[in-house]
């Protein structure tokens, strides 16, 4: 604060200079960061302690830093004999707007910039099809890859390796790595100024950046919000502290480590029978496709590998699936009955109940039943994230970002939303679509075709599509649902809606269709090769039970 007051006082004494005065945040920024290139302006220090900011040929407010494409603030120097000003009020400093490094608005001679928030199904399908001859693209996300979520449960037990379900975003859209004005930033969006067409971000940091938090801004011509959703916990006490979720690769890694750790610890001498049962009790909350598939994978792992490699404790390992209503409620009745029968036969104990609270070693149901556990996996659906809740944008029923039939956020210019974070506004008369991968992928495909079309019609720049016709609105047609239940069995439901008629299959043929469909949907040929090899390796040699990390 003292340095800031010195700068303010001396600038006033010297007439203010041409440049803007220095705020406290800029001084702290300057002390923490070292520019890579020299300044285009000079600071003239005088003997009487006064100084002025003299611009060079062209005033530079920003300069390049080590992160590609991000600009920094100027470097200022102060005279050593400048007197300290102790009586100046701090109130003015507190109300100054922070200046961020970042990407400024595009010029008329530059390509328009599309900023994409997220690397999920919707964002990556959009990135894959974007015409980079028309647009520069900036992708911002706290992860640099897309997760093929339908196969994520298989990685928890070693059926697949983790890299088989992760695709780097720079391979989905190579312009992020090759084009000079396209970038990927490992960061989280913290705010959006729709009037200035700017977003504000905080970099993901492990302590290696000059200061924490490292913040910057990015100006956009078009903004695509596809930041996804967060697991629903319904405010139940203890869920976030003690349960594992299954939406990211690191979630699957943690589940695998805990599962193998419990198996090995349970063989140690002195462990009581009761404690062995608790440690080796795997509880899954939620009877949707993810919960059912994970339960099926666990039961398959227990029957095929645990009984052979952990013979001392094989009779203590159990899986319990807890659901408040019926499992796989979106599937046909006959398929639900088949899944229930098959899971029970495979050793999965199905329970009806609602979780009241979660403790480190047990959970309590609403009827007072205590359920001890060693591994707890929470899979009860998703809801709006804290970021989505913080945005001053219209909301659809359920709290998602509200969009019209063209996936636009109607109250602001040049902002679109899609995937799990978006839903149709009530006035559109359309229902909010479920948080499914195929919904997000279809929305991404529609929006990229729309933006490519308006880009060719000179509508790519900011504020240029106000009166432009967009053509046909987005229409979603459900292609069906699939779920594996373990032991080479799966369900395939090809009805377009829950109440419609259509083909439904269960058994080995459905399992073959399930595997074939997902193998073709894996994004790259590299990962298709990985998945095929992993499946073959598991079939002939079993799952790897090494615990690494």
């Amino acid at each position: 604060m003292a340095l800031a007051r010195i700068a303010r006082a001396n600038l006033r004494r010297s007439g203010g200079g041409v440049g803007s005065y220095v705020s406290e945040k800029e001084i702290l920024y300057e002390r923490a960061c070292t520019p890579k290139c020299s300044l285009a302006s000079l600071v003239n220090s005088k003997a009487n302690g006064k100084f002025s900011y003299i611009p060079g040929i062209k005033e530079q407010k920003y300069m390049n830093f080590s992160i590609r494409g991000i600009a920094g603030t100027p470097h200022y120097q102060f005279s050593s004999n400048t007197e300290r000003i102790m009586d100046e009020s701090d109130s003015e400093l507190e109300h100054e707007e922070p200046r961020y490094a970042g990407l400024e608005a595009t010029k008329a001679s530059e390509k328009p910039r599309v900023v994409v928030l997220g690397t999920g199904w919707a964002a990556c399908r959009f990135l894959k099809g974007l015409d980079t001859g028309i647009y520069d693209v900036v992708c911002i996300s706290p992860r640099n890859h897309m997760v093929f979520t339908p196969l994520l449960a298989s990685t928890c037990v070693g059926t697949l390796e983790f890299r088989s379900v992760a695709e780097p975003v720079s391979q989905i859209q190579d312009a992020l790595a090759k084009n000079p004005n396209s970038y990927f930033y490992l960061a989280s969006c913290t705010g959006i100024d729709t009037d200035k067409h700017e977003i504000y971000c905080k970099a993901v940091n492990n302590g290696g950046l000059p200061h924490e938090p490292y913040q910057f801004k990015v100006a956009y011509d078009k903004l695509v919000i596809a930041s996804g959703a967060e697991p629903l916990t319904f405010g139940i006490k203890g869920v976030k502290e003690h349960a594992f979720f299954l939406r990211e690769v690191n979630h699957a890694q943690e589940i695998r480590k805990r599962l193998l750790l419990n198996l090995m610890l349970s063989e140690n001498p002195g462990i009581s029978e009761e404690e062995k049962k608790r440690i080796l009790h795997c509880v899954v909350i939620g009877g949707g496709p993810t919960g059912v598939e994970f339960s099926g994978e666990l039961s398959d792992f227990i029957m095929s590998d645990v009984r052979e490699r952990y013979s001392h404790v094989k009779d203590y390992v159990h899986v319990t699936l807890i659901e408040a209503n019926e499992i796989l409620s979106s599937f046909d009745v006959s398929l639900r009955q088949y899944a229930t029968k098959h899971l029970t036969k495979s050793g999965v104990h199905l329970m009806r109940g609602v979780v009241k609270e979660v403790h480190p070693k047990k959970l309590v149901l609403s009827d007072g039943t205590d359920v001890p556990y060693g591994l707890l996996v929470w899979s009860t659906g998703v809801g709006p994230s804290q970021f989505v809740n913080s945005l001053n944008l219209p909301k659809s029923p359920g709290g998602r970002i509200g969009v019209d039939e063209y996936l636009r956020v109607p109250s602001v210019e040049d902002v679109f939303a899609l995937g799990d974070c978006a839903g149709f506004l009530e006035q559109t008369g359309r229902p909010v679509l479920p948080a499914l991968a195929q919904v997000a992928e279809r929305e991404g495909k529609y929006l990229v075709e729309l933006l490519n079309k308006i880009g060719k019609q000179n509508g790519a720049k900011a504020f240029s599509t106000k009166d432009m016709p967009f053509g046909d609105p987005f229409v979603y047609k459900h292609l069906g649902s699939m779920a594996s239940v373990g032991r080479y069995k799966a369900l395939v439901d090809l009805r377009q809606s829950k109440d419609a008629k259509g083909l439904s299959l269960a058994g080995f043929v459905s399992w073959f269709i399930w595997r074939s469909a997902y193998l073709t949907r894996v994004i790259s040929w590299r990962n298709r090769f990985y998945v095929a090899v992993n499946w073959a390796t598991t079939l002939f040699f079993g799952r790897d039970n090494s615990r690494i990390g």
Side-chain angles (χ1 to χ4, degrees), residues 396-470:
S396 69
R400 302 185 191 183
I401 299 172
V403 296
D404 64 10
E405 60 271 20
Y406 299 103
L407 304 180
R408 299 176 299 186
V409 181
S411 62
V412 294
E413 286 283 334
D414 301 318
V415 179
F416 303 82
L418 62 163
D420 293 354
C421 72
F424 289 120
L425 288 166
E426 198 169 359
Q427 54 262 37
T428 63
R430 299 184 176 201
V432 175
L433 296 174
L436 299 175
Q438 62 173 297
V439 174
E441 185 180 31
R442 299 283 289 283
E443 289 179 342
K445 180 181 179 182
Y446 169 83
L447 185 59
V448 74
E449 291 174 353
L450 176 62
L451 288 193
N452 286 341
K453 182 178 73 173
I454 66 176
K456 295 175 182 177
Q457 299 173 358
N458 298 321
K461 284 288 187 178
F463 304 106
S464 61
T465 59
K466 189 171 183 181
D467 299 320
M468 182 176 291
F470 276 19

Side-chain angles (χ1 to χ4, degrees), residues 332-344:
D332 182 76
V333 176
S334 60
L335 296 183
R336 295 202 300 265
Q337 293 174 347
Y338 179 90
T340 301
K341 182 179 179 181
H342 178 79
L343 288 172
T344 303

